[in-house]
Amino acid sequence: MTYKSGSIGEFMKWTKRVVTDPAAATNTPKRWFDSDETAARSLGTTASPEAMVKLLSAENLILLALIGKERPASVRALAQLANRKESNLSRTLKKFHEAGIVDFESDGRTRAPRLIAQRVTLELDLVGPGSVVSVQRPEVR
């Protein structure tokens, strides 16, 4: 997948140009990043649509809601809240981490799961070369 990196000012100029001349968007990447480093981090969290659908099962969506609302102090505390075995939960949290949805706060002894994504977007190109899953992290203000 291709992308373009640049400043917010460059993106704004491009956007204004596309508004007045839609053809200017032809052959331009649909994903923009502030730097190549950000692009590498984000693009590294892509997964197949099939894997994401499995990961975002009804049971796992409840788990994510628990993490967001309850902010458990540890994986063990989350296991108790979710009524799941800690070993099973750890595997699921690892997959969420790899997908860029969950990260961990650590105090040296315990790891507390935290949501780092606000939204997961599944983009399916039914006639193109492949599908992409992107994870949107909250804006830092």
Side-chain angles (χ1 to χ4, degrees):
M1 164 174 270
T2 59
Y3 67 90
K4 181 164 179 52
S5 61
S7 70
I8 191 72
E10 291 169 321
F11 179 70
M12 287 174 58
K13 287 178 189 173
W14 177 82
T15 303
K16 288 176 183 178
R17 192 171 74 237
V18 168
V19 168
T20 59
D21 178 18
T26 305
N27 297 324
T28 300
K30 301 293 184 241
R31 299 181 83 177
W32 284 60
F33 298 95
D34 63 340
S35 68
D36 288 335
E37 179 182 298
T38 303
R41 243 189 354 260
S42 178
L43 295 173
T45 63
T46 60
S48 74
E50 295 85 2
M52 286 302 286
V53 167
K54 287 180 183 177
L55 184 59
L56 297 172
S57 67
E59 182 181 29
N60 285 347
L61 290 175
I62 291 169
L63 183 65
L64 291 172
L66 280 172
I67 294 169
K69 291 177 184 171
E70 300 295 329
R71 294 184 51 86
S74 66
V75 173
R76 176 169 284 146
L78 178 60
Q80 292 172 344
L81 283 170
N83 197 26
R84 290 175 63 172
K85 291 184 181 179
E86 194 173 338
S87 60
N88 170 280
L89 189 62
S90 291
R91 283 190 298 274
T92 301
L93 290 172
K94 180 181 178 185
K95 290 177 184 175
F96 280 137
H97 179 72
E98 290 169 353
I101 298 171
V102 168
D103 205 355
F104 297 94
E105 288 179 358
S106 178
D107 68 2
R109 295 183 328 151
T110 60
R111 296 181 328 140
R114 297 292 180 251
L115 288 179
I116 58 171
Q118 283 184 314
R119 182 176 313 264
V120 174
T121 303
L122 180 61
E123 185 177 305
L124 298 172
D125 186 346
L126 300 176
V127 295
S131 302
V132 174
V133 174
S134 63
V135 177
Q136 298 174 354
R137 293 182 178 82
E139 290 182 28
V140 178
R141 295 176 190 200

